[in-house]
Amino acid sequence: METNLSNRIQAILLAIATVGLVLLAVMNFRQESQFQQPDDQVWWRESTGGLEAVKVLPGGPGDRAGIRVGDLLTGAQALPASSGFGMELPEAGATLDKSIPASATNPSARKNQNLLGAAPLHEDLDQAHSFTRIPPKLFLTPIVHGSDLERVLYRTGSYEKAAYAITRGNTPLTLIVIPEPVDRSLALGLRFIAVIYLAIGIYVLFRRWTAPRATHFYLFCLVSFALYALKYTGQLDTLDWTVFWTNIVADSLQPALFVHFALSFPEERLKRVHRAWLLPLVYAPGAALLALWLWANFNWQATLLLKHRMEQTGTAYEAVYYVLAAALFLRSYHRAGTPLLRQQLKWLTRGALLAVVPFTLFYAVPFLFDLRIPAAFERIAGFSIIFLPLTFSWAIVRYRLMDTDLIFKRGVAYTLATGLVLGGYFGVVALVSEMVHTRLPQAVREWGLGIAIVVVAAIFEPLKRRIQGWVDRLFDRQRYDYRKALIEFGRGLSSETDLHALLESIVDRLGSTMRVSRVAVFLAEDKGSLRLAAAHGLPADPRLAIGSQGSLALDFLNFNASDGHTHIFLENAQQALHLPEGERRTAALLDLNYYLPCRVQDGSVTRAIAVIGMGRTEGGDFLSSEDVELLESLAGYIGIALQNASLYSRLEAKITEFERLKEFNENIVESINVGILAIDLDDRIESWNAQMEAMYAFSRAEAIGQTLRTVFPTEFCDALDKFRNESGVHNLYKFRLTTRAAEQRTVNAAIAPLMSRDFVAVGRIILVDDITERVTLEAQLAQTDKLSSIGLLAAGVAHEINTPLAVISSYAQMLSKQLRGDHRLGPVLEKITQQSFRAAEIANGLLNFSRTSTTEFKETNLNQVIRDTLSLLEHQFKKAQVQVELDLTPDLPPIYGNSGKLQQVFLNLLLNAKEAMPGGGRLRVATLVNGHVEALVSDSGSGIAPEHLKRIYDPFFTTKTAPRPGDKRGTGLGLSVSYGIIQEHAGKIHVESAVGAGTTFHLEFPLLRNSVHA
């Protein structure tokens, strides 16, 4: 309660003092603009008998009147306004009758002046052209002190004439001086500095009311405002005396306040017990100076020397205190123990030196030792004081190193905006008043002031913003462009949907824009913990690997616990003593100074989805409050962008997983060797796999969307409809299905209901298994068993028939020998013998063919194998009217092979050739040598269709599905077995055929080469 009351009383007193000083400054400026203080621009000092001229400013009134350094002023008097340029003036205390040349007072007549001022007086007297007489009873006022001359000048006024009685050497002279107004350009510049002091002080006070030494800073600014804004005019009325003494008090307080702050920053040194006496000592010289002014004013004679000495004392006091404060800052800078404090004191020391050094060197020292320096250096010294409020403002806004730039820019912006608006205001008021009073009726005139006020209020804020932008561009063009780019980057973040790319873009853009050395982004996990997701500039430590979580204690970044924290600032990340041990090690390892939460709205709860960590700038500075505010605003955009990217990433992962599962399921359906189709409740086909395409000769694109009855035969659909209203799985076995290619396929079909997740039937799924080849294989196996039985029967018959044939042959040979001379019975017996041998050969051939052959390979004559095979089929060829042409190479080299297997190959080829010529034809069998042994079997039959050429060696492939009467159906094993036998002999077989032109088989065998089984 006491603290609040003290703060209120303090605020009220500061407000009263501020308003009072501002009103006093306004009245002082108004009085100064109405009263022009006259000045002869001659520096005088008291001397014996009058005032001695110490310095005569070139081109001034004294110089034009002819006053020279060393002249002694003994008397002066204001002349009546009707006096002419040439007149007779009395001597001091008597009436004068001397003539005064016109060049002494007329600047246009001074053609022979030297560089130092006016020409000598005797030359002016020689060049005098006219003069007038003055009243004979005009007496001059004796001049003993500077106050005597000032009274004469005030009575004379600016641009009026005053008579000066001058003694140059031993020669008395009388000169006419026309005083001019005092040059107030430096005073106007100092008032501008005063306004900046006050504006920055008010801004810092309202912006950082609770900051350490904020009141101290504002008091310094207020005193500085009084020092530079209040200038006594010399009119010496009540207002002027108030201005004078207020200025004296401010001059006594300001240096002491400056040193007090230097002793208080960065730590309050005066709070220690053994240094408590320093505070009164700091303000003692100022109090002594004020007391000296009071004593001199009321007890001492007012002389120019006294005034000069008092001003020298005040200047010495200011210079010593300013240098002492700068030295204290420099000492603190060299002894700073932390990077933040060192950066603070670096800028504070530089700012103080920029203000103190010019003031001391260009003004204080020359003034104390009565040295003459150019006026330009005096102006530089005066305007250099502006650096003090800038450095103070930075020191007040602690932990924000660059806020001095911010305060300066905003102070300049408000000052310029106020000046432009006030100038425009008075201009508008003047213009409106003129128009109102001259052109508008009386009833409308009262609205003029109100319209001007409304216009000013409307244009102030946009004008201030515009000026703020100009100042930003002027003082910090590069950072202004970077911040503008950063804001545009924040607004465009939502366009990036890739989380990894977004994180990299954030750290890169923040690092380059804010010029910080380290940037990191921590993402919140589902359990509330944080993980390092992206970073730039962090040390190479395994614990700081991207995605690491367990090794970093990041609990101090839990912004969800308190929504009021806009950011966390660690002045020294290496010594965050307020954190627990584990978190302190993590903060030291990261070495980041700023942590800003990226919050998003999750329903009615606001949570931090990420945390942005940033270090110092590349120059070692901390961020300004403007930068932090910008980052806090940008963190909202980044949070939304990260949330969108995270949701998009999760959705993309779900979509990818869904697509993978869908592709996996489709691959299963497509890869299975069973036809699968799905139909909806309206019997429209929704799915059709590749096996269905191959089996049914109907593409997926054609089938999808069609009804079942449009695609399949009626009998198949009717069979499926029998199970429509029945539950469970149903089957159709060995169903004869006619495909779109008019092929008869034998299938097994399974019909099952297609259920949703809610176990609701949404259609049916049908599995169609093509068992046509299996059924054919089963039939062929059965036929093979029959053939095997027939072969065994034929072998038994051949074996049994060999015995009677041997008896017949023996008896026929015996009879032939006995009847050798009988020409009638001999030929008959010879034919009986030959035919019995032929019958025996046929029986032996059947026996050899049906006997299981061995795998023994030896040198084999291919011509002999061909002849033996033809002998077996000679009767069938004659019956089928097939003409056989043999073209066997006589000296055919032998090959390695098995004659029984080779005979089976040629038997299959010759039988196929015979069946290809049902009406008879020509069969050519030839052998030749062409680097290998080659055999050709060529017929003039019907040929093989092109689409069947690639399948003739497939097992069970046959074109004899519809045999002619008397023929039998093919098994499809002949060529397949023949192909395998040729491969066993390391040979090759290929065919040339054309429909209607016959077929030729080429068999190639290597010369004297072991086969794979040799």
Side-chain angles (χ1 to χ4, degrees), residues 545-868:
I546 300 301
S548 63
Q549 177 182 356
S551 59
L552 297 178
L554 300 173
D555 294 337
F556 67 98
L557 300 181
N558 185 14
F559 286 94
N560 294 325
S562 176
D563 295 336
H565 292 167
T566 58
H567 69 277
I568 293 176
F569 173 73
L570 300 179
E571 176 183 347
N572 188 354
Q574 302 296 329
Q575 297 180 359
L577 300 179
H578 64 285
L579 298 178
E581 180 63 25
E583 298 175 9
R584 185 163 62 249
R585 287 197 300 267
T586 298
L589 179 64
L590 294 171
D591 197 16
L592 300 173
N593 303 93
Y594 298 89
Y595 295 94
L596 299 97
C598 300
R599 291 190 171 99
V600 294
Q601 194 72 25
D602 191 0
S604 59
V605 179
T606 301
R607 64 183 181 90
I609 192 176
V611 176
I612 299 175
M614 302 185 71
R616 292 186 293 269
T617 64
E618 296 174 354
D621 299 335
F622 287 89
L623 300 177
S624 68
S625 60
E626 187 180 42
D627 293 334
V628 175
E629 291 174 0
L630 176 63
L631 290 173
E632 288 175 355
S633 301
L634 187 63
Y637 293 106
I638 294 177
I640 296 174
L642 289 174
Q643 185 183 38
N644 293 339
S646 178
L647 293 176
Y648 185 85
S649 178
R650 294 179 183 177
L651 179 61
E652 194 175 43
K654 293 291 184 182
I655 293 175
T656 303
E657 181 67 16
F658 175 78
E659 293 291 340
R660 189 187 68 80
L661 291 176
K662 180 181 178 183
E663 183 179 0
F664 180 74
N665 293 331
E666 289 179 351
N667 289 337
I668 293 176
V669 172
E670 293 296 324
S671 301
I672 196 170
N673 196 24
V674 175
I676 299 176
L677 68 148
I679 58 176
D680 59 14
L681 296 177
D682 297 328
D683 286 349
R684 292 193 177 275
I685 298 174
E686 298 291 338
S687 177
W688 187 274
N689 72 343
Q691 184 63 25
M692 283 298 303
E693 288 183 310
M695 179 184 65
Y696 199 66
F698 201 61
S699 67
R700 180 186 287 108
E702 295 175 309
I704 297 297
Q706 299 289 332
T707 60
L708 203 62
R709 290 188 176 274
T710 305
V711 177
F712 289 98
T714 303
E715 57 272 15
F716 184 72
C717 297
D718 293 339
L720 296 180
D721 286 341
K722 295 178 181 178
F723 312 113
R724 178 182 295 276
N725 297 322
E726 297 182 10
S727 59
V729 180
H730 303 277
N731 297 281
L732 295 176
Y733 295 103
K734 293 186 178 181
F735 189 88
R736 302 286 293 177
L737 179 65
T738 305
T739 67
R740 284 300 183 98
E743 293 181 351
Q744 291 290 331
R745 314 295 292 182
T746 302
V747 300
N748 287 339
I751 305 96
L754 185 62
M755 310 297 290
S756 66
R757 288 186 176 182
D758 301 329
F759 300 100
V760 177
V762 294
R764 290 183 291 173
I765 184 169
I766 302 172
L767 279 68
V768 182
D769 185 11
D770 186 4
I771 60 172
T772 303
E773 293 183 358
R774 192 199 316 169
V775 172
T776 304
L777 180 60
E778 291 174 355
Q780 291 172 352
L781 289 176
Q783 182 66 23
T784 301
D785 290 340
K786 293 180 182 179
L787 291 176
S788 178
S789 300
I790 294 174
L792 292 176
L793 178 61
V797 172
H799 180 73
E800 292 297 329
I801 205 173
N802 272 336
T803 301
L805 285 176
V807 173
I808 294 172
S809 176
S810 298
Y811 282 107
Q813 291 177 10
M814 293 173 61
L815 290 174
S816 176
K817 289 180 180 180
Q818 293 177 2
L819 300 175
R820 181 174 300 172
D822 191 342
H823 297 286
R824 184 176 63 83
L825 296 175
V828 173
L829 292 174
E830 185 66 27
K831 288 182 179 180
I832 292 172
T833 302
Q834 292 177 357
Q835 294 301 321
S836 62
F837 278 124
R838 177 171 178 77
E841 289 178 358
I842 292 173
N844 288 332
L846 289 174
L847 186 61
N848 291 334
F849 181 74
S850 61
R851 186 183 296 120
T852 301
S853 61
T854 64
T855 57
E856 181 182 359
F857 282 73
K858 60 183 179 179
E859 291 187 5
T860 304
N861 189 334
L862 193 60
N863 288 341
Q864 186 60 43
V865 173
I866 293 174
R867 291 190 185 97
D868 292 342

Side-chain angles (χ1 to χ4, degrees), residues 947-975:
E947 62 270 16
H948 295 157
L949 282 175
K950 294 182 179 181
R951 301 184 61 192
I952 60 176
Y953 302 113
D954 294 346
F956 307 109
F957 174 78
T958 180
T959 58
K960 303 173 187 177
T961 56
R964 291 182 297 273
D967 293 338
K968 60 181 179 179
R969 189 177 184 274
T971 63
L973 295 174
L975 288 178

Side-chain angles (χ1 to χ4, degrees), residues 258 322-331 333-334 345-362 381 384-385 387-388 391-392:
F258 190 26
Y322 286 166
V323 172
L324 177 60
L328 288 173
F329 285 135
L330 188 61
R331 178 175 177 270
Y333 168 70
H334 287 295
L345 289 170
K346 178 183 72 174
W347 289 97
L348 189 59
T349 303
R350 291 177 179 178
L353 290 176
L354 285 175
V356 170
V357 172
F359 173 80
T360 304
L361 295 180
F362 297 148
S384 65
I385 304 300
F387 290 102
L388 284 180
T391 56
F392 267 57

Side-chain angles (χ1 to χ4, degrees), residues 343-344 347 394 397 399-404 621-623:
Q343 292 296 329
Q344 289 176 330
W347 289 97
W394 169 87
V397 189
Y399 307 129
R400 302 288 187 269
L401 178 61
M402 299 305 296
D403 273 1
T404 179
D621 299 335
F622 287 89
L623 300 177

Side-chain angles (χ1 to χ4, degrees), residues 131-144:
F131 54 88
T132 60
R133 309 287 296 178
I134 65 169
K137 297 298 182 181
L138 182 62
F139 292 92
L140 297 177
T141 302
I143 302 299
V144 179

